[in-house]
Amino acid sequence: MAKTLYDKLWNMHVVHDNNDGTALIYIDRHLVHEVTSPQAFEGLRLAKRKLWRVAANLAVADHNVPTTDRKNGIADPISQLQVDTLDKNCDEFGITEFKMGDIRQGIVHVVGPEEGATLPGMTVVCGDSHTSTHGALGALAFGIGTSEVEHALATQCLVLKKSRSMRINVVGKRATGVTAKDIILAIIGKIGTAGGTGYAIEFTGEAITALSIEGRMSLSNMAIEAGARAGIIAVDEKTIQYVKGRPYSPTGKIWEQAESFWNTLHSDADAVFDMEVEIDISTLTPQVTWGTSPEMVTSITGLVPDPEQEADDVKRGSIEKALEYMDLQPGMAISDIQPDVIFIGSCTNSRIEDLRSAAKYVQGKKIAETIELAIVVPGSGLVKQQAEKENLDKIFIEAGFEWREPGCSMCLAMNADKLRPGQRCASTSNRNFEGRQGQGGRTHLVSPVMAAAAAIHGHFVDITENIEA
Amino acid sequence: MQKFTTFTGIVAPLDRANVDTDAIIPKQFLKSIQRTGFGVNLFDEWRYLDMGEPGMDNSQRKINPAFILNQTPYQQASILLTRHNFGCGSSREHAPWALLDYGFKVIIAPGFADIFYNNCFKNGILPVVLESAIVDKLFDLVTQKTGYTLTINLQDKCILGENNDSIPFEIDEFRRHCLLAGLDEIGLSLEYSDEIKSYEQKQKLQTPWLFTDLMES
Ligand code: SF4
């Protein structure tokens, strides 16, 4: 029978089939960070359990780390304790950890692919919903809770229920200035934040093939924002070139074997999906969220919606609440929205390509006077190093941005980087929930180049109007 | 984990869709390395008027009287009735920990986000999915009579209202079984140790690159 990519990945990892839709699934790679792991290690200690396969785990602290001067450690003692606890747990259990100060430290979903620690064909889990990111490499990757972190540590397996399958076929050619971020925001706008609940999404189509691996990661990263735990993309030549030569990638004979296997990691031509969605992006324009859920999104050329026009009571209520929180008027032009803060970073958009596209826009320009803070937070120490080699740091600093150390930073504001109540932010992250970037803070999700343009102009602008190809 | 069989409690109506885990327990509280103590900060940004930080004396904080859980008798509520896509967003298990620590044992909604739904079972919370129309009806009942109670019978997979109307619900057999028996899932999986080992041996030959050790040389 013809199989979807999801079927193939699932089948090859079944350790024991319970024949009731659930199975014990083997986990090849487990990524660990400081926020969702302490209680799991504690659970292991209490039950006197050992790790099943120590060398399958990779740890890195990212959520709590400061992005400014790290010489004096972490100012907040509670954050420091959480990072110390991770260090201590990794030392005690023998897990490889990229500690603060290691050039390889960074956001877990940037670090995994960058190191070749996450590879095509793997099952990848992490106590973090954006683990979907690694699906861009043709891996079955999804976020788990802390109980499952403990389960994965102790057994190298998880009891999973097979998801239904959804294909999102993206056709058409992107206009210049339209990015993977705009594509995924448009998809979420179309299917809604619960549209993918219960599904594993596979992204297919010419528009996906045309994306770089980094762009594909931005896309898969936000599959969870459409409700799907996994967002996978078939392996192609770009995937293989991306993986080649990374520190933990196979070499020699094993590489050859891997490569021929990876070339089978796509859905069979006649595979049947439980749900099909098609989206044409040939007329897509840059997207900006106006509300407090990623599905509350529209085009840069659009308007803030009017709740009066919404027939559904629950939806109308949500729009009203969102506009009140965001302090926006119905019918206002999106391009009239003026952010106070610019955040370029997060596991969605902090890779080298993201920084290049933003730097290209700001080169030789200055940020608007109304901007209170503009920061660029590279996804990892290695991304930072690469950017500095290309002098991107200088371009950003010249323009008025701050150039920071790698970590999650203002994506969720667990460290010192947060919005003050009422501050409005153009952010390249993935969630615009109430309080996400700081209590009372207001978030507009955009692509890196859109955030860069908002910094320069002091309001959102349609970059497709005057971008050099 | 505690066994779950039948349960009766006061239902608190939270009339919002897409309640995300950041709203259930804001991130500043995730810095704790414990599993308990999150209840006082459940829905912190809605429940209090000031900005919550870990380590605060919550009894001294200004509460938001408009928020449902601050209204009597919902301080004692143990069943949460809410709208679709509850628990979306971050995978933090601190969300079910906070709900449980507050006293919630059951959450009823037309739909839940996948990871959150899964996390509930690991902590002995029962998430019940009901059709939107039935949830609407329950909202009517619960808002018409303050302190309305429901009884959840997991054995028979049904919910009883105060007038003894029975509403059936669906749940995976494996999950029902684990909740009823209060089973430790890790222990259950470890019973398959031999199968896990033979899987590893077989797979190591077929796909050795999946077994690259992440050890520092
Ligand atoms: S960058 Fe943001 S979304 Fe990504 S792992 Fe960090 S906190 Fe989560």
Side-chain angles (χ1 to χ4, degrees):
Chain A
M1 213 180 80
K3 292 194 169 57
T4 64
L5 174 54
Y6 177 63
D7 291 332
K8 292 181 187 182
L9 292 167
W10 174 274
N11 290 349
M12 73 181 270
H13 288 94
V14 172
V15 172
H16 179 88
D17 201 330
N18 296 323
N19 292 318
D20 61 353
T22 68
L24 191 64
I25 294 290
Y26 193 77
I27 303 303
D28 298 310
R29 188 63 75 227
H30 181 202
L31 304 168
V32 181
H33 70 71
E34 79 276 20
V35 181
T36 52
S37 66
Q39 296 86 353
F41 285 109
E42 199 48 39
L44 288 179
R45 265 189 217 102
L46 286 173
K48 298 203 169 46
R49 286 183 173 131
K50 294 202 289 283
L51 298 204
W52 184 274
R53 182 158 77 88
V54 178
N57 300 282
L58 178 65
V60 62
D62 52 8
H63 286 63
N64 280 280
V65 300
T67 60
T68 48
D69 190 11
R70 289 182 175 174
K71 279 200 286 299
N72 303 319
I74 305 175
D76 175 354
I78 311 177
S79 286
Q80 179 73 59
L81 175 65
Q82 201 164 52
V83 174
D84 287 347
T85 305
L86 179 69
D87 292 353
K88 203 179 91 232
N89 284 329
C90 288
D91 290 347
E92 181 184 328
F93 287 92
I95 294 175
T96 297
E97 184 198 3
F98 299 158
K99 295 201 162 96
M100 227 166 70
D102 189 317
I103 185 84
R104 298 167 297 179
Q105 180 268 336
I107 307 170
V108 65
H109 310 306
V110 175
V111 170
E114 183 173 80
E115 289 297 315
T118 50
L119 294 170
M122 279 184 167
T123 40
V124 179
V125 298
C126 174
D128 193 286
S129 60
H130 291 98
T131 311
S132 58
T133 311
H134 310 263
L137 297 174
L140 178 55
F142 49 89
I144 55 178
T146 299
S147 296
E148 285 180 318
V149 169
E150 186 179 338
H151 197 288
L153 288 168
T155 69
Q156 208 55 45
C157 291
L158 289 174
V159 181
L160 297 175
K161 183 177 178 195
K162 198 172 177 195
S163 304
R164 283 166 291 168
S165 60
M166 180 190 295
R167 171 160 54 195
I168 300 187
N169 196 36
V170 189
V171 298
K173 196 169 171 293
R174 253 181 312 142
T176 309
V178 173
T179 69
K181 180 69 163 283
D182 303 300
I183 298 178
I184 188 64
L185 284 172
I187 290 173
I188 297 163
K190 184 179 163 110
I191 71 171
T193 47
T197 303
Y199 290 95
I201 293 177
E202 181 180 349
F203 298 104
T204 62
E206 52 185 314
I208 305 300
T209 318
L211 289 174
S212 67
I213 298 302
E214 305 208 331
R216 292 180 197 176
M217 287 198 246
S218 304
L219 196 81
S220 293
N221 174 272
M222 290 188 71
I224 184 67
E225 258 55 67
R229 283 176 86 174
I232 50 184
I233 298 174
V235 172
D236 63 9
E237 194 47 35
K238 281 186 192 166
T239 324
I240 289 172
Q241 286 314 316
Y242 177 89
V243 168
K244 199 169 193 166
R246 302 210 169 250
Y248 293 117
S249 286
T251 52
K253 268 227 119 45
I254 297 183
W255 169 267
E256 283 165 30
Q257 213 182 334
E259 194 180 351
S260 63
F261 182 83
W262 291 338
N263 280 317
T264 67
L265 291 178
H266 49 77
S267 291
D268 295 334
D270 44 354
V272 181
F273 290 79
D274 298 311
M275 170 99 125
E276 296 266 6
V277 175
E278 181 154 300
I279 173 163
D280 184 348
I281 56 150
S282 30
T283 57
L284 186 69
T285 45
Q287 302 285 297
V288 181
T289 65
W290 48 265
T292 52
S293 159
E295 70 186 17
M296 294 174 162
V297 63
T298 189
S299 161
I300 175 64
T301 59
L303 306 174
V304 173
D306 184 350
E308 293 302 314
Q309 316 261 324
E310 176 57 61
D312 183 282
D313 284 351
V314 176
K315 280 195 191 140
R316 184 172 346 104
S318 304
I319 298 174
E320 281 166 356
K321 276 196 184 107
L323 294 189
E324 191 191 324
Y325 182 85
M326 295 295 290
D327 190 27
L328 293 173
Q329 299 309 314
M332 176 181 184
I334 295 290
S335 57
D336 285 341
I337 299 174
Q338 303 182 345
D340 310 303
V341 175
I342 308 293
F343 171 60
I344 299 180
S346 89
C347 57
T348 316
N349 283 128
S350 63
R351 297 179 181 82
I352 189 70
E353 238 177 50
D354 301 315
L355 304 191
R356 281 183 193 137
S357 72
K360 188 171 166 204
Y361 192 94
V362 305
Q363 183 154 33
K365 305 187 182 96
K366 292 263 184 261
I367 61 172
E369 273 176 14
T370 50
I371 301 293
E372 294 161 24
L373 175 72
I375 60 174
V376 184
V377 186
S380 72
L382 289 169
V383 170
K384 180 168 184 261
Q385 190 181 50
Q386 179 61 32
E388 287 171 357
K389 236 188 241 165
E390 299 175 21
N391 287 323
L392 304 187
D393 55 327
K394 297 202 183 64
I395 295 173
F396 283 120
I397 293 167
E398 282 275 297
F401 283 84
E402 291 181 23
W403 180 247
R404 298 289 186 87
E405 299 293 333
C408 295
S409 179
M410 207 185 269
C411 173
L412 96 162
M414 267 187 89
N415 69 353
D417 310 334
K418 34 174 103 64
L419 296 179
R420 290 196 311 273
Q423 266 186 330
R424 185 182 298 287
C425 181
S427 176
T428 66
S429 57
N430 42 49
R431 286 188 176 139
N432 51 353
F433 300 154
E434 286 185 19
R436 170 79 177 180
Q437 296 194 287
Q439 195 179 33
R442 299 171 177 137
T443 303
H444 297 275
L445 303 176
V446 287
S447 72
V449 60
M450 282 291 286
I456 301 301
H457 297 275
H459 58 88
F460 290 113
V461 289
D462 185 0
I463 45 135
T464 56
E465 280 183 349
N466 50 11
I467 199 169
E468 317 92 79
Chain B
M1 203 169 69
Q2 264 195 324
K3 289 184 191 177
F4 189 115
T5 44
T6 56
F7 181 78
T8 303
I10 296 177
V11 188
L14 182 66
D15 197 357
R16 269 182 184 251
N18 295 314
V19 173
D20 58 80
T21 53
D22 282 70
I24 297 172
I25 182 83
K27 68 240 153 201
Q28 61 270 35
F29 304 107
L30 310 193
K31 292 179 183 178
S32 164
I33 54 173
Q34 315 290 328
R35 239 175 227 266
T36 50
F38 295 103
V40 283
N41 301 111
L42 175 71
F43 300 121
D44 197 274
E45 291 183 11
W46 295 338
R47 208 160 132 201
Y48 302 95
L49 292 170
D50 60 348
M51 190 158 354
E53 287 297 337
M56 274 179 151
D57 179 357
N58 291 286
S59 63
Q60 302 300 312
R61 294 175 62 195
K62 260 193 104 118
I63 62 163
N64 171 12
F67 186 59
I68 186 78
L69 295 188
N70 288 327
Q71 296 164 9
T72 309
Y74 299 112
Q75 291 92 341
Q76 271 77 50
S78 52
I79 299 175
L80 188 68
L81 178 67
T82 183
R83 299 290 184 182
H84 88 96
N85 203 25
F86 187 82
C88 61
S90 145
S91 62
R92 62 189 66 160
E93 202 159 316
H94 312 68
W97 294 338
L99 287 158
L100 189 69
D101 199 48
Y102 183 92
F104 285 111
K105 293 281 289 171
V106 178
I107 306 167
I108 302 172
F112 294 89
D114 284 342
I115 303 179
F116 176 82
Y117 184 76
N118 210 25
N119 282 341
C120 283
F121 288 101
K122 317 278 177 197
N123 294 283
I125 295 178
L126 175 65
V128 178
V129 181
L130 295 176
E131 273 172 42
S132 283
I134 299 178
V135 170
D136 285 346
K137 257 194 221 128
L138 286 176
F139 263 102
D140 287 346
L141 285 173
V142 167
T143 45
Q144 274 159 22
K145 184 186 171 227
T146 308
Y148 193 88
T149 61
L150 285 173
T151 298
I152 318 294
N153 181 335
L154 181 59
Q155 187 67 47
D156 299 339
K157 298 190 279 187
C158 66
I159 297 177
L160 294 177
E162 287 186 357
N163 52 4
N164 273 329
D165 276 359
S166 171
I167 307 166
F169 64 87
E170 290 297 318
I171 176 173
D172 279 354
E173 208 30 56
F174 176 73
R175 286 179 161 143
R176 188 175 80 106
H177 174 68
C178 287
L179 271 187
L180 283 173
L183 286 178
D184 164 22
E185 284 193 28
I186 297 180
L188 279 180
S189 291
L190 284 173
E191 287 177 15
Y192 295 103
S193 289
D194 290 342
E195 275 182 73
I196 302 173
K197 281 182 199 144
S198 58
Y199 172 90
E200 285 179 324
Q201 273 164 10
K202 179 194 76 179
Q203 210 62 32
K204 247 182 218 167
L205 292 175
Q206 286 176 9
T207 53
W209 64 90
L210 294 179
F211 290 84
T212 318
D213 282 349
L214 295 183
M215 305 313 281
E216 301 278 37
S217 41

